[in-house]
Every structure is written in C-alpha cells, then in structure tokens.
C-alpha cells in the first residue's frame, strides 16, 4: 500500500519571497521557533496519511484516486492510507513512516482536529518529530459527511484539502509548550446540588475551594422540591445533610450572596474578583473578629418579627411573604439573615430588636475580594421559562393555572399551605387536575424553546402520583406529546402511574379558558390517538414549564471565556470526549447550566467536573499550547495599537534600547490572532498561524498544483 514518490518540489519552488520572517531573537531558547526558512519547501518531506474511517470517508470518495493525487503534491515524500488511522496500528503506520522516510512533517486526512488532533500530535511525537509539525485535513465532517451523494465532488474536495494542509505542513516549525505552575485552589460558581457536589469532591481531595453563590443560601432548585422521582425520596431529607456538610467543610470557603465580578489570567492562575453584596448582617465569626462579645447573627429571628416591610418570598415562588430582613426557609445554609436593601426603609426597628448581638449594619456596602485559583467550575443552573408568554394557557391570568415549581411548593409539607394541595382561587381541594407537558419546550413557534427540557415528563408523573396518594378520588390527566422516561427505573415508574390511575391524553393543549363563575378551567386539545377533539373541565392546571439558563449566566460565562449554544446553555469542549471541559483550559461545567439534566445526571456531571478540575491542581503544573503571538522587535514602531486591541490583556509596551516595543505575556495570550491581523508593520508573528503559512495555504488553494 505504501509508496514512495519522486517529489515535484523542484518544479514548483516558492515563487515569491515573503517579508514575514520569524523573530530573530527570542527570550528563551526553548520557545524560539527556527526562522521560517529553515524548513523550506525544498527541504520539507511531508507524509500524507489518508483515513477511511470505516466507510464514513471511504464510502463517499475514491481513496485510491486521492492517494495517487497526493503523491503529486510538492514536498510530499510519502503517502499511505489506513482503515482507522486513530487506532494503534494506524498510529503505528505514521510512526514507522516518520522514521523510515525521514519525514519533516505529517498530514493526516481524516476527521476534525477537535476530535483527534491530540492523538496525532502524540503519534507524530512518538515518531521522533516535534508534535507541532502536524497538520490535519478534515475530509470527514467538512467533506464525506456533507457530500455523501457526490463521490466525484468529495474526491476533488479531499484533494484540495490535502494540498492546502501540505502547504502549511511544509512551513511548520518546532514549538514548545510553556509550563506554568497551578495554584492549589479551585472555584465553583453556583451552589445548587451540582456546585455543592463539585465543591465537596474538590474539598475532600484536599483542595481549597471557594464556593460562590449569588443568593443568600446554598441548595438551588433541589431545595424547593418536595419529593424526587423515581425513588420518591424527600428532597430536603437528602439535600439538607449535604448543605450542612458544605457549610462545615474546612476546605470550602462559602461565599453566599456573592457574584464573580472579574476574572483575569489563565489555567493554573486565575485571579478572580468576587463582589460580596451588602448583606447588612454579620456572622458570629465576623462579630467575634470585631470584638463584639456574643455578637453576630445567631438566627434568632427577632428582627424579622418587628420588620414592617413585606415582600413576596422568592423561595416559595411568591406564594408566601417574607420581610425586608429575612431567611427564605428554615433550612438555609448559612443560617444568617439578609437585608433586602431594595425594599428596606431603614426604620431601624431590627437594630433595636437585635440589641447586644449588634449583628445588623444598615450602612453596609458591597465588598470586593480577590482570590487566586488554579481551575474553576461553572454550575449556575437554570431558571423557569416565563410561561405567561404562551398566552393561550392563561398563566398569570387565571388563578388556577400554576407552574410545576409552584405545584412543588403547594404539595410540600414545609410549603405555603403546609402540604395541602389547594386551588389558589378558593382554597378548595381539586378533584380533577390537568398537567400540560412540554409547556414552552419542543416549541418551534419562536415563542418558546425548541429543545426538550428532559425532566418535566418524569416530574409530571411524580406529581400525578403525589395527588393520587394525597387526595383520594382526585384524577390527574396528563396531556403529553411523548413520555420520555429514559433513565434507570423511569419506564417502570411510568407504568406504575398508569396502574395507579393516571390518565394520559396524547396531544398538545391548544387553549385554556376559565369559567368565570366557578373558576374551573376548560382545557382544549386534540387527542391524536383517538383522533378527536377534547374539551375537559378541570379544577386546576399545572404547566410543566420549559427551563432556560439562569439570567446572569451570560455575563458570568463571558468572564471565564466560555462559549454557549444558541439557546444559551454553556458549551462543553466536546459532547462525547470532553463533556465537562470547555474550550477555556481550566474551566469546567457541572449540572444544568450545560443543558437540562435530572438530579442523578447532575450529580454525575458534577463529580466528573470536580475530577477533571482536580487533575491540573494535583499535577501542580500544566503545559500551555504554544500558539502565542511574538514580537519582531525590529519591525515594531511602538505605536501601542495592538495593546488596546488584545481582549486578554496579554500585550504591553516596554522600553528597550531607548525605544518602545511591544511585549507579549505568553501565558495570557490565547493566540486569537487579533493583534497579528492588525499590526500595520507586520511586527507580530503568530506561532503556528504565521502569515507565510497562511499565505502558502491560500496559494495552494487558489493556484492548485501550479503554485
Ligand atoms: P440549580 O439547582 O439551578 O442551582 C444553580 C445554583 O447556582 C443556584 O443556587 C443559583 O442561585 C446559583 N447561581 C446561578 N447563577 C449564578 C451566578 N452567576 N453566580 C453565582 N451563583 C449562581 N430532578 C430529579 O432528578 N427528580 C425530581 O423529582 C425533579 N423534580 C423537579 C421538579 C421541578 C418543578 C423542576 C423545575 C426540576 C426538577 N428536577 C428533578 C430537576 C432538578 O431540579 C435539577 O436537576 C437540579 O436542580 C439541577 O441542579 P443544578 O445545581 O445544576 O442547578
Ligand atoms: Fe474516523 Fe477520525 Fe479515527 Fe479516522 S481518525 S477512523 S476519521 S475518528
Ligand atoms: Fe440575627 Fe440579630 Fe436578626 Fe437575631 S435579631 S436573626 S441575631 S440579625
Ligand atoms: Fe426592616 Fe429595614 Fe426597618 Fe430593619 S431597617 S426593620 S430591615 S425595614
Ligand atoms: Fe416535553 Fe417530556 Fe421533554 Fe419535558 S421531558 S419537554 S414534557 S417531552
Ligand atoms: Fe508594535 Fe505592531 Fe503593536 Fe504597533 S501594533 S506596537 S507596531 S506590534
Ligand atoms: Fe492578545 Fe494577540 Fe494573543 Fe490575541 S494573539 S490574545 S490579541 S496577544
């Protein structure tokens, strides 16, 4: 299969001199790329390895024709193909050829670099070359998969892709990753069940962990739930001990009522500024530090009793009041009151009732704290879609239409009704309850969410069970499109609810109208199984509302340089191979901030993220990809324009031999290329994406084999 070819390099020597040359002097010998001319087109010996990917690639193009063509590309010294290039034997083919053919560079024509660039870099290194003398031609995702019915077209496109990759590989240089020390500390943002689990795992692994939560207490949505499917455990019973563990863990520094304000730095050395919002109440430890004997808040609640300002309690989804000085529920961690300064009238009654404990400071201001961490985990969770946008279901218009989260609080023993499910309009016990599934999910109208919210089928089954159990004679009617009971013991739970008497109607609810006299609701739908319209009168409607990312997620993710999907869910580095990582090294994802997940999946993802985040910390040192910018000082006019353009503050002007020149902080540079594309003097050299390399690729594309 393997064939050696006569290089046609002589015929196609580079036509023009490029004015871009690598920096002559480098700060450290190890990082210095050789001048770009050191691997000239004449000297380069490139090996091309074409992957079949089973039939993924080979089924859509003529591999022998691509191979024959590759032999004619200038600088190509060796061409081979293999069924699965990423397999051990496939990598062995590359290894062997590097040694036997004295290759100076490697091109693998296969899938996306996102999937296997690291694999082939390792193979290149094992063959004895610098791992950055490797280039990938994507002939799968960008070719065979999209042109599977055009054999001829995809064959030609593969030839182009390989020719372009060879042009770059011919000019690649040795590069050396930079090693940086990793701070022995981590940060977790968001303290729902995901953030708490991740923080506990990190802390138990001996890592100092800062847990930042924007609300006054940890716990997140799970603390609002009554029971959890499919085991029907009491949510608070399993969550509260974990909350207490988090509050007590010596390695966890809990920062509630706080937000991340700024992030600087890179993996190993993130400098994070946290805004601690003015809480107006100090802890007992703070009291002690201020020399107040027996001072600080002990959670006695005297202040709450006297406070005259009443506001809706967010934890109870507005169905119960709270005061301007408050805790949202009795199990809060930390047990520390908070003043809502947006509604406080500063009457001072709370200060008087607090007395000698002197825990209240009505003049408190936001404080900013700086910490250094090696890695960070985002676990910012989710919010409920404002389902009132779907006006056809009458939420916020009809009193007896509630959301599932409101249902959780209404059925919960610690909720606003002490666990008695009632109709909000008259306090009566309902006899017929309609559950509207996919309320705002799987909705392509532009007025909802196109995705499945993943846990609402299951919690609606749980709700149906709860009313059958609690209210004898009450019948739950579930209007559904499909029941998605995909988890362990979930399908069995679905059958159980059917056996218990839950009624299932397959069809999307078109409209809900209230009978003004009785406040009953008419639910209109099409029963798509019996093929007939439905008009059902019920006492109460529960909307299984879609979920969406938390409001502040966008701001927070930008601080950490994390991408998001079109729907705003945070984006993992790779959905299959790196589901907890992000494209920012050292930043990981846990829980629903990444996309809807039930509690078991949330906890599993949190454990994965904690494990991934602890690896660099335990190693103590990480290597940064050497894709940073470099300054060709002779060309730099010291204009400083690039300094302001760099989004990562990696550039500065420094004084050298009586003039100003630009200097790069390599560890901060993300290799985005903004400065390189801008510099009017061509003074910036982008490692691995240098102008001559890119120009060679453009030439190879535009001029074909005639370059
Ligand atoms: P969250 O619980 O949302 O926690 C995120 C935390 O991050 C919050 O405390 C939030 O205040 C904080 N935060 C957000 N943004 C920031 C920021 N920028 N800075 C700092 N902190 C921030 N699952 C089951 O398995 N079984 C069930 O029975 C079940 N029932 C459910 C019933 C309903 C009505 C709903 C809506 C969900 C239900 N779920 C159930 C799903 C379950 O709630 C989630 O799987 C779980 O809560 C996800 O946890 P999380 O930590 O990822 O997110
Ligand atoms: Fe498939 Fe990529 Fe592996 Fe080739 S290298 S077999 S294209 S996954
Ligand atoms: Fe805390 Fe003082 Fe209020 Fe008691 S009265 S809960 S100690 S702030
Ligand atoms: Fe309530 Fe503010 Fe008056 Fe205190 S000062 S009692 S928090 S309104
Ligand atoms: Fe609809 Fe069920 Fe998906 Fe929720 S989980 S969006 S109810 S299909
Ligand atoms: Fe130097 Fe170019 Fe930056 Fe100006 S833009 S300071 S010339 S590197
Ligand atoms: Fe900043 Fe230039 Fe590096 Fe981009 S490539 S991060 S602009 S120094």
């Amino acid at each position: 299969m393997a064939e050696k070819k006569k290089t046609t390099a002589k015929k196609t020597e580079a036509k023009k001199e490029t004015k871009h040359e690598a920096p002559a002097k480098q700060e450290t010998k190890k990082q210095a790329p050789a001048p770009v001319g050191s691997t000239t087109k004449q000297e380069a010996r490139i090996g091309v390895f074409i992957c079949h990917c089973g039939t993924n690639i080979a089924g859509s193009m003529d591999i022998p024709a691509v191979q024959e063509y590759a032999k004619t590309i200038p600088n190509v010294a060796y061409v081979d193909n293999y069924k699965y290039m990423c397999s051990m034997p496939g990598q062995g083919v590359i290894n062997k050829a590097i040694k036997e053919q004295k290759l100076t560079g490697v091109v693998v024509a296969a899938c996306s670099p996102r999937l296997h660039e690291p694999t082939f870099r390792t193979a290149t290194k094992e063959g004895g070359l610098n791992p950055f003398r490797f280039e990938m031609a994507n002939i799968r995702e960008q070719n065979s998969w999209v042109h599977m019915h055009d054999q001829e077209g995809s064959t030609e496109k593969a030839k182009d892709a390989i020719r372009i990759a060879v042009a770059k590989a011919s000019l690649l240089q040795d590069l050396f990753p930079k090693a940086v020390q990793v701070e022995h500390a981590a940060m977790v943002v968001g303290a729902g069940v995901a953030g708490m689990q991740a923080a506990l795992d990190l802390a138990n692994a001996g890592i100092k962990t800062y847990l930042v939560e924007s609300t006054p207490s940890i716990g997140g949505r799970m603390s609002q739930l009554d029971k959890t499917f499919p085991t029907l455990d009491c949510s608070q019973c399993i969550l509260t001990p974990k909350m207490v563990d988090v509050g007590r863990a010596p390695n966890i520094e809990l920062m509630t009522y706080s937000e991340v304000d700024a992030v600087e730095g890179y993996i190993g050395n993130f400098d994070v500024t946290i805004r601690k919002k003015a809480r107006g109440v100090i802890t007992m430890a703070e009291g002690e530090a201020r020399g107040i004997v027996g001072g600080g808040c002990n959670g006695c609640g005297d202040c709450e009793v006297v406070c005259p300002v009443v506001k809706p309690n967010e934890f109870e989804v507005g169905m119960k009041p709270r005061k301007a000085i408050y805790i949202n529920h009795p199990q809060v961690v930390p047990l520390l009151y908070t003043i809502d300064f947006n509604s406080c009238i500063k009457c001072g009654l709370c200060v008087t009732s607090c007395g000698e404990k002197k825990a209240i400071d009505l003049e408190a201001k936001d404080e900013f704290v700086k910490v250094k961490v090696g890695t960070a985990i985002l676990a910012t969770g989710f919010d409920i879609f404002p389902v009132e946008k779907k006006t056809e279901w009458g939420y916020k218009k009809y009193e007896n239409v509630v959301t599932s989260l409101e249902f959780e609080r209404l059925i919960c023993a610690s909720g606003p009704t002490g666990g008695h499910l009632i109709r909000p309009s008259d306090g009566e016990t309902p006899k017929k309850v309609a559950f509207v599934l996919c309320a705002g999910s799987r909705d392509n109208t532009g007025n909802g969410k196109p995705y499945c919210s993943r846990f609402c089928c299951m919690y609606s089954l749980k709700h149906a069970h709860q009313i059958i159990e609690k209210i004898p004679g009450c019948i739950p009617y579930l209007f559904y499109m499909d029941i998605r009971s995909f988890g362990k013991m979930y399908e069995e739970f679905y059958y159980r609810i059917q056996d218990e008497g839950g009624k299932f109607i397959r069809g999307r609810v078109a409209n809900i109208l209230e009978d003004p006299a009785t406040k009953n609701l008419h639910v209109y739908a099409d029963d798509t199984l019996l093929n007939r319209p439905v008009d059902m009168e019920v006492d109460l409607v529960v909307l299984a509302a879609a979920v969406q990312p938390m409001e502040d997620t966008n701001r927070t993710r930008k601080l950490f340089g994390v991408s998001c999907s079109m729907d705003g869910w945070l984006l993992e580095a790779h959905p299959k191979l790196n589901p907890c990582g992000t494209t920012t090294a050292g930043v990981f994802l846990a829980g629903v901030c990444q996309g809807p997940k039930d509690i078991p999946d949330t906890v599993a993802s949190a454990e994965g993220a904690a494990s991934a985040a602890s690896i660099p910390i335990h190693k103590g040192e990480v290597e940064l990809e050497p894709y940073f910018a470099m300054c060709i000082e002779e060309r730099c006019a010291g204009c400083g324009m690039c300094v302001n353009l760099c989004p990562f503050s990696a550039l500065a002007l420094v004084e050298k031999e009586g003039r100003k020149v630009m200097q790069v902080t390599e560890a901060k540079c993300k290799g985005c290329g903004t400065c390189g594309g801008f510099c009017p003097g061509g003074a910036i050299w982008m490692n691995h994406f240098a102008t001559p390399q890119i120009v060679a690729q453009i030439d190879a594309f535009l001029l074909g084999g005639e370059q």
Side-chain angles (χ1 to χ4, degrees):
M1 220 194 309
E3 279 179 60
K4 199 171 174 184
K5 74 168 278 292
K6 275 192 217 147
T7 177
T8 52
K10 211 174 161 194
K11 192 177 96 191
T12 54
E13 273 173 17
K15 279 188 179 160
K16 50 184 178 261
E17 284 274 317
T18 170
K19 69 168 187 161
H20 287 275
E21 284 183 1
K25 277 188 237 155
Q26 304 298 334
E27 274 173 30
T28 59
K29 208 178 163 213
K30 209 183 168 202
Q31 253 102 46
V36 73
S38 72
T39 305
T40 62
K41 289 188 176 183
Q42 291 92 324
E43 294 167 10
R45 289 178 59 78
I46 307 300
V48 175
F49 302 89
I50 305 162
C51 184
H52 297 210
C53 199
T55 53
N56 270 306
I57 295 173
S60 313
M61 68 181 68
D62 183 346
I63 298 271
V66 176
Q67 171 150 349
E68 280 312 303
Y69 173 78
K71 291 179 199 165
T72 70
I73 300 171
N75 298 333
V76 171
Y78 182 81
V79 188
D80 209 342
N81 70 80
Y82 193 71
K83 213 166 184 176
Y84 297 106
M85 215 73 217
C86 54
S87 64
M88 281 305 279
Q91 294 184 53
V93 170
I94 299 173
N95 242 285
K96 192 162 164 265
I98 293 172
K99 288 174 190 148
E100 290 182 0
Q101 305 295 327
K102 302 203 178 344
L103 301 179
T104 61
V106 169
V107 167
V108 175
C111 47
S112 144
R114 215 174 147 201
L115 190 63
H116 273 314
E117 194 174 54
T119 313
F120 294 121
R121 279 218 189 117
T122 308
T124 306
K125 191 175 170 191
E126 282 172 354
L129 280 179
N130 180 282
F132 294 90
R133 290 197 179 242
F134 163 74
E135 186 65 13
M136 206 153 178
N138 186 334
I139 59 167
R140 192 180 75 168
E141 284 85 341
Q142 292 172 358
N143 189 342
S144 66
W145 278 358
V146 279
H147 305 299
M148 60 177 72
H149 302 301
D150 179 6
Q151 174 105 1
E152 203 179 315
S154 60
T155 303
E156 290 310 306
K157 192 172 172 181
K159 292 177 185 173
D160 286 348
I162 293 170
R163 189 177 67 246
I164 293 165
V166 169
K168 182 169 176 191
S170 302
L171 297 177
L172 287 177
Q173 299 170 306
D174 290 355
L175 296 175
F176 300 92
K178 194 179 169 63
V180 292
Q181 298 294 308
V182 180
E183 186 73 22
H184 201 83
M187 172 166 289
V188 179
V189 184
V193 64
M196 292 196 304
Q197 183 66 48
L200 280 170
D201 284 4
L202 287 165
N204 286 336
I207 296 166
K208 162 90 181 177
T209 305
Y210 300 93
L211 179 55
V212 181
E213 165 59 45
S214 58
T215 67
S217 169
I218 60 174
R221 294 281 167 211
M222 190 177 163
S223 59
Q224 289 177 287
L225 307 181
D226 180 36
K227 292 188 172 175
T228 56
F229 64 75
T231 46
L232 301 173
D233 304 274
C234 153
S235 188
Q236 282 287 1
C237 307
I238 51 177
L239 191 69
T240 311
K242 215 180 249 305
M243 289 164 67
V244 174
D245 286 351
V246 169
R248 282 199 193 127
N251 269 343
I252 297 181
E253 186 165 334
L254 194 51
M255 295 171 152
T256 50
Y257 211 45
S258 300
E259 285 167 2
V260 175
D261 188 65
V263 182
E264 283 183 9
Y266 44 87
I267 181 171
N269 297 277
F270 290 109
D271 291 304
V272 187
T273 308
I274 296 137
R275 184 164 73 95
K276 294 179 107 179
K277 295 182 271 188
R279 190 165 197 151
V281 181
I282 59 166
T283 61
M284 290 172 86
E286 285 165 334
E288 208 172 296
R290 291 181 192 190
I292 310 164
V293 183
C297 180
N298 62 11
C300 70
D302 293 348
C303 50
E304 191 175 7
V305 176
V306 296
C307 178
V309 176
V310 178
K311 301 297 289 180
N313 183 330
E314 299 85 353
F315 184 82
E316 302 293 356
V317 207
M319 294 184 294
K320 206 174 167 181
R322 65 157 168 84
K323 297 290 185 67
I325 186 162
Y326 68 102
I327 53 169
N328 260 333
H329 61 99
Q331 285 96 350
V332 289
V333 173
L335 180 53
L336 177 66
Y337 273 68
T338 303
I339 296 179
D340 167 6
F341 280 109
N342 289 325
S343 52
C344 167
I345 54 170
K346 298 212 171 171
C347 65
L349 289 172
C350 55
V351 179
T352 312
S353 72
C354 189
E356 286 310 302
K357 286 158 282 182
K358 293 188 178 153
I360 297 171
D361 175 5
L362 291 177
E363 300 311 318
K365 297 273 173 293
D366 290 0
E367 283 171 36
F368 292 86
V369 181
K370 278 190 182 222
V371 298
K372 197 185 244 317
V373 295
T375 55
I377 295 176
L378 303 185
T380 51
F382 68 100
D383 210 346
I384 305 294
F385 168 71
V387 75
E388 61 274 21
K389 281 189 179 177
K390 308 291 293 180
T391 50
E392 61 270 33
W393 298 325
Y395 179 61
K396 291 208 171 158
K397 183 174 168 198
Y398 306 138
E399 284 172 272
N400 294 330
V401 178
V402 299
T403 64
S404 301
L405 196 58
E406 288 165 342
F407 182 92
E408 290 281 347
R409 296 313 302 152
L410 285 172
I411 201 94
C412 182
S414 64
T417 56
H420 300 292
L421 182 68
I422 52 158
R423 280 163 40 111
S425 66
D426 52 16
E428 291 294 317
T429 305
K431 288 275 169 261
K432 277 173 95 176
V433 181
F435 290 91
V436 178
L437 276 65
C438 302
S441 306
R442 305 174 68 194
D443 181 331
N444 288 313
T445 60
N447 190 27
K449 302 291 174 187
Y451 49 81
C452 166
S453 293
R454 274 187 103 223
F455 40 69
C456 17
C457 273
M458 286 305 297
Y459 71 55
S460 296
L461 292 172
K462 171 185 76 177
H463 293 166
H465 164 83
Q466 284 175 295
I467 59 172
I468 292 169
E469 185 184 62
K470 277 203 165 184
I471 312 171
C474 183
I475 304 172
Y477 294 88
L478 290 95
F479 290 83
Y480 71 102
M481 300 220 289
D482 310 282
I483 294 291
R484 297 190 166 171
S485 48
F486 52 84
K488 194 173 178 182
M489 300 300 289
Y490 288 10
E491 189 69 4
E492 292 86 333
F493 190 68
Y494 175 24
Y495 294 143
R496 175 177 167 183
I497 308 311
Q498 286 174 334
D499 291 344
E500 284 178 353
K503 305 279 180 230
F504 293 81
I505 300 139
R506 187 169 179 273
R508 210 188 244 285
V509 172
N511 210 4
I512 296 173
L513 291 177
E514 185 189 67
D515 177 342
T518 60
K519 299 274 181 186
N520 283 352
L521 300 149
H522 286 265
V523 180
Y524 298 97
D526 261 333
D527 187 327
T528 55
L529 289 182
L530 297 177
N531 206 14
R532 65 177 185 201
V534 177
D535 167 4
M536 183 181 290
E537 188 174 347
V538 297
D539 308 314
L540 184 70
V541 169
V542 183
L543 302 176
V547 294
Q548 62 185 27
M550 205 69 175
E551 200 188 352
D552 197 35
T553 303
N554 205 33
R555 184 191 68 87
T556 311
R557 67 140 187 113
K558 282 184 184 166
L559 293 175
F560 285 94
V562 171
S563 312
C564 67
S565 67
M566 269 166 55
D567 306 309
W569 300 111
L570 301 187
L571 210 58
E572 57 284 325
H574 191 283
K576 296 177 192 84
L577 301 180
N578 193 359
C580 298
T582 68
T583 45
T584 300
V587 181
F588 303 88
L589 305 177
V592 179
C593 65
Q594 185 184 15
K597 289 183 192 70
D598 56 21
I599 295 163
D601 285 358
T602 293
V603 173
S605 96
E607 297 200 305
S611 159
S614 67
I615 292 169
I617 294 177
H618 284 313
K619 277 170 89 179
E621 195 180 87
V622 286
E623 286 192 339
L624 301 181
E625 288 208 313
Y627 296 159
F628 43 80
M630 298 178 86
C631 181
I632 306 170
E633 289 178 2
E634 309 84 75
R635 295 220 186 109
C636 176
C639 67
M641 308 281 269
C642 57
V643 176
N644 298 329
L645 281 176
C646 176
F648 301 100
S649 312
L651 302 178
L653 280 185
V654 293
E655 202 77 27
K656 253 193 180 171
E657 293 162 11
R659 68 189 187 100
K660 287 199 157 138
V661 289
M662 183 271 271
Q663 195 176 61
V664 186
T665 305
E666 289 161 3
K668 282 188 175 181
C669 173
K670 301 271 196 288
C672 70
T674 310
C675 58
F678 170 79
C679 175
I684 297 175
W685 177 269
M686 295 301 312
N687 273 342
H688 210 68
F689 297 95
T691 308
Q693 294 164 353
I694 291 168
V695 169
Q697 286 184 287
I698 296 169
D699 281 351
F701 174 59
L702 295 178
L703 305 175
E706 300 307 313
Q707 56 186 312

